[in-house]
């Protein structure tokens, strides 16, 4: 039986500029030029509190039974509930600020004008008369629950020359529910409150799994060039039922209602998948292994829940259908992120082959190398917002536009009213990787030294969103897989004392995205511009590689020693230092707020200290 309860509360202050760019018309009184101009300006001094809180409760229980004839049965039940709240300032100023900025005139209600051409650092713009109440965005409580029951059986079914064939079976039922939740905020243009209801949604799954381990040849059979040969076969049947509201988001007058009748759409998905594995030992020092499997993964309950947010500021996105100008034109617009109730399940095929080497002349050395390839179709991904803009024609209905603005060129489209960047199924994904691991134990009269090293080389992560688009290899680009990563460590142990060192390595990567396989000259030009701007902002095309070192010392009090009896018996104390050399993660100067700030492979808290005291009770 395992019971747990945890809570977390975080408070931070976030800079939230109402806008950093406008299009100033030619007839604006503060425009000294005789044509419309784009103006980008700093907005220092605005910071708002952001508060997030989460709570989770979990209970699991199980029973293991020895059934005789070497059979084992296990029954388990798990229940959990999680809650999340988020309070922030989304809309900073009302619509009057956009009017004052974009016209250079006095704002509505006689409020002072805002001159975007003044030097914004020395003489910052005063948005005080236009500020909305803060905080003004309230998410939650978002509450989810999970119930899972399973029965497992395992034991021998047939005696073969190579040993006993063992059969394992699993029957499982799973229920996951996301309860009704709210998004409450203020519409910037009118300063009026709004309430969005995310109606309840859920998913149920029934699974049946069978696995057989078949020892074909054993060492006792003395077959030439074959010490051991084992076959593993498995099959799994999954049936899912997803219940999603239609529509998935409702505008309601308040948290108390009244609420309209909500229709629910039920989707049923099922799949039968299998795997085949082979383990072959030709020599005492060498083992070879290979496997093939198919996979099926439906969207979970969170991936079918979209999340809309209204913005009244620039998100630093460029609109290809408006001359690659900023998507923010002074009018509030909606961005939909998160899940998508129309998602299809992911399907995959996986291959792997590898070896384990344990040479007789170094019996304490173990070396393994594995090659893995995974091919997926309909993989669920969250598209980059700029990607959706660049390929608008490929995603009909995901971008909604309003009427053209006065002064817009004839070939421009209207400004964006809504951008849907929620999850989607991509056409094809292919991943290749090599995993390398080495371990060595060296015994001396001064104690034991254990050395280990693990490295992953991922030469390819190819992806295309649509079948008509070219494959793009994303390895080594911003927010994508690294080509190399690994860690190495050394542990010394003598008696109750151990001291360990570990280093983590992260490869360098480009400071910009890979693009998405440009299919038009306009998109290719925009991609090249974004890349050039990223290099200019960063001062380099790449983010440098990173290495971080940790050390930890642990002492275990042995009750056989006189001073370690009583209160100290069965106790241990550990002292650790993370990021021993106080290395700062590389700064990332990306204008994309999602990736800007610092490389998240490092920790901005720099050197940290850990003290741990643990005591066990009861007989060993």
């Amino acid at each position: 039986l395992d019971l747990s309860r945890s809570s977390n509360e975080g408070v931070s202050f976030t800079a939230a500029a109402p806008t950093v760019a406008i299009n100033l018309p030619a007839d604006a009184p503060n425009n000294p030029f005789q044509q419309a101009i784009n103006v980008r300006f700093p907005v220092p001094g605005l910071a708002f509190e952001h508060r997030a809180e989460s709570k989770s409760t979990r209970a699991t229980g199980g029973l293991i039974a020895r059934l005789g004839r070497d059979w084992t049965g296990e029954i388990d039940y798990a229940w959990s509930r999680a809650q999340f709240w988020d309070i922030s300032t989304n809309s900073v100023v009302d619509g009057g600020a956009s009017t004052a900025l974009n016209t250079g005139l006095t704002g509505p209600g006689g409020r002072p004008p805002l001159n975007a051409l003044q030097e914004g650092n020395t003489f910052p713009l005063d948005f005080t008369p236009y500020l909305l109440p803060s905080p003004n965005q309230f998410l939650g409580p978002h509450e989810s629950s999970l119930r899972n029951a399973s029965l497992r059986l395992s034991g021998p079914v047939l005696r073969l020359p190579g040993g006993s064939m063992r059969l394992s079976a699993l029957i499982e039922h799973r229920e996951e529910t996301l309860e009704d939740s709210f998004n409450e905020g203020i519409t910037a243009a009118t300063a009026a409150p709004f309430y969005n209801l995310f109606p309840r949604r859920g998913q149920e799954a029934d699974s049946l799994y069978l696995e057989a381990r078949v020892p074909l040849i054993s060492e006792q059979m003395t077959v030439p060039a074959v010490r051991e040969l084992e076959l593993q076969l498995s099959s799994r049947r999954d049936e899912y039922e997803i219940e999603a509201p239609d529509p998935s988001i409702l505008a309601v007058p308040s948290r108390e209602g009244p609420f309209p009748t909500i229709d629910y759409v039920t989707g049923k998905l099922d799949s039968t998948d299998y795997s085949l594995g082979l383990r072959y030992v030709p020599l005492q020092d060498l083992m070879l292994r290979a496997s093939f499997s198919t996979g099926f993964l439906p969207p979970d309950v969170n991936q079918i829940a979209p999340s809309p947010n209204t913005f009244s500021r620039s998100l630093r996105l460029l609109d290809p259908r408006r001359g690659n100008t900023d998507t923010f034109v002074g009018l509030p617009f909606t961005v939909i992120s998160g899940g998508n109730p129309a998602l299809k399940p992911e399907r995959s095929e996986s291959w792997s082959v590898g070896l384990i080497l344990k040479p007789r002349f170094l019996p304490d050395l173990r070396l393994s190398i594995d090659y893995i390839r995974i091919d997926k179709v309909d993989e669920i991904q969250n598209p980059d917002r700029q990607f959706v803009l660049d390929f608008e024609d490929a995603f009909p209905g995901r971008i909604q536009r309003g009427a053209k603005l006065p002064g817009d060129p004839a070939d421009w489209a209207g400004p964006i009213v809504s951008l849907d960047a929620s999850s989607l199924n991509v056409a094809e994904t292919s991943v290749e990787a090599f995993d390398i691991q080495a371990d060595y134990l060296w015994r001396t009269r001064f104690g034991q030294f254990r050395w280990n090293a693990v490295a992953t080389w991922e030469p390819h992560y190819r992806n295309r969103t649509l079948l008509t688009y070219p494959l793009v290899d994303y390895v080594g680009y911003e927010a994508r897989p690294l080509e190399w990563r690994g860690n190495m460590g050394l542990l010394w142990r003598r008696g109750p004392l151990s001291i360990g060192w570990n280093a983590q390595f992260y490869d360098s990567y480009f400071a910009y995205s890979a693009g998405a396989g440009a299919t038009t000259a306009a998109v290719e030009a925009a991609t090249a511009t974004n890349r050039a701007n990223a290099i200019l902002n960063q001062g380099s095309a790449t983010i440098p590689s990173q290495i971080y070192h940790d050390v930890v010392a642990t002492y275990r009090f042995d009750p056989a020693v006189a001073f370690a009896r009583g209160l100290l018996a069965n106790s241990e104390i550990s002292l650790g230092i993370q990021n021993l050399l106080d290395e700062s993660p590389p700064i990332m100067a990306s204008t994309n707020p999602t990736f800007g700030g610092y490389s998240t492979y490092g920790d901005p808290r720099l050197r940290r200290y850990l003290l741990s005291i643990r005591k066990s009770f009861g007989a060993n």
Side-chain angles (χ1 to χ4, degrees), residues 273-578:
D273 297 281
Y274 64 93
S275 68
L276 171 65
L278 188 67
R279 189 173 71 94
Y280 170 45
V281 182
L283 305 169
Q284 179 181 338
D285 316 75
L286 179 66
M287 186 188 82
L288 305 176
R289 55 190 178 188
S291 67
F292 170 78
S293 63
T294 64
F296 170 87
L297 182 66
D300 64 33
V301 67
N302 290 304
Q303 290 175 317
I304 60 174
S307 176
N309 284 290
T310 301
F311 293 92
S312 297
R313 56 183 173 85
S314 170
L315 297 182
R316 303 177 178 91
L317 300 172
L318 302 179
D319 190 341
R321 295 188 60 189
R322 292 180 59 83
N324 283 321
T325 59
D326 198 298
T327 53
F328 181 66
V329 295
L331 302 174
F333 64 101
T334 300
V335 174
I336 302 173
S337 57
N340 177 1
L343 287 174
K344 297 184 290 185
E346 299 181 0
R347 297 185 183 274
S348 67
E349 292 184 347
S350 305
W351 295 263
S352 71
V353 60
L355 62 85
I356 298 177
L357 181 64
K358 297 182 69 175
R360 274 167 284 186
F361 62 87
L362 281 176
D364 293 317
L365 173 65
R366 182 184 186 276
L367 175 66
S368 67
I369 303 175
D370 290 280
Y371 166 77
I372 304 103
R373 174 170 176 150
I374 303 173
D375 292 327
K376 283 186 178 182
V377 293
D378 293 327
E379 182 181 11
I380 298 172
Q381 291 185 357
N382 293 318
D384 180 76
R385 296 168 180 173
Q386 187 62 55
F387 172 77
V388 178
L389 287 166
D390 291 343
F391 296 95
E392 180 175 351
D393 293 340
F395 302 105
R398 280 192 169 245
I399 293 180
Q400 304 293 329
R401 296 181 177 273
K404 294 176 63 171
L405 301 177
D408 279 351
D411 60 341
W412 280 21
I416 289 175
V417 175
S418 175
L419 168 63
D420 185 353
S422 61
S423 301
L424 52 78
N425 294 102
V426 302
E428 179 182 353
T429 300
S430 178
V431 179
E432 291 183 82
F434 292 85
D435 286 336
I436 306 166
Q437 182 170 349
D439 297 272
Y440 182 63
L441 178 63
W442 184 28
R443 297 177 175 89
T444 74
R445 62 190 182 92
F446 303 105
Q448 291 185 355
F449 295 85
R450 180 177 293 276
W451 171 83
N452 70 87
V454 179
T456 297
W457 175 41
E458 188 167 340
H460 299 295
Y461 182 98
R462 299 186 179 101
N463 174 276
R464 61 173 150 213
T465 306
L466 301 174
L467 287 174
T468 54
Y469 288 5
L471 276 170
V472 177
D473 201 328
Y474 287 92
V475 168
Y477 288 90
E478 177 188 57
R480 294 293 186 169
L482 301 177
E483 184 174 0
W484 282 97
R485 63 189 303 167
N487 66 71
M488 182 167 61
L490 181 65
L491 177 67
W492 170 78
R493 174 174 290 148
R494 186 177 185 183
L497 178 64
S498 64
I499 300 175
W501 158 81
N502 184 266
Q504 307 94 46
F505 170 78
Y506 303 97
D507 201 2
S508 63
Y509 57 97
F510 290 113
Y512 46 82
S513 62
T519 56
T520 67
V523 171
E524 188 171 351
T527 301
T529 299
N530 292 339
R531 179 171 298 184
N533 288 338
I535 296 174
L536 181 64
N537 289 331
Q538 186 66 34
S540 170
T542 59
I543 305 299
S545 60
Q546 304 163 57
I547 300 180
Y548 302 99
H549 300 266
D550 303 332
V551 293
V552 62
T554 301
Y555 188 87
R556 295 174 176 85
F557 294 93
D558 186 351
V561 180
F563 79 89
R565 295 172 187 167
L567 183 63
L568 294 177
N570 299 315
S571 299
E572 69 176 40
I573 183 169
S574 297
L575 176 63
I577 304 177
Q578 295 174 290

Side-chain angles (χ1 to χ4, degrees), residues 76-137:
D76 292 285
Y77 183 80
W79 172 90
S80 65
R81 182 177 296 274
Q83 297 172 299
F84 176 74
W85 296 262
D86 187 279
I87 301 173
S88 62
T89 298
N90 182 38
S91 298
V92 178
V93 295
D94 62 26
S98 298
T99 301
L101 278 171
N102 284 280
T103 63
L105 301 173
T106 301
R111 287 177 289 181
L114 296 171
N115 182 12
L117 292 178
Q118 73 187 50
E119 206 292 297
N121 284 312
T122 307
F123 305 101
L125 294 170
D126 183 9
F127 286 99
T128 304
Y130 300 93
L131 291 177
L132 292 169
S134 175
N136 55 41
Q137 171 116 331

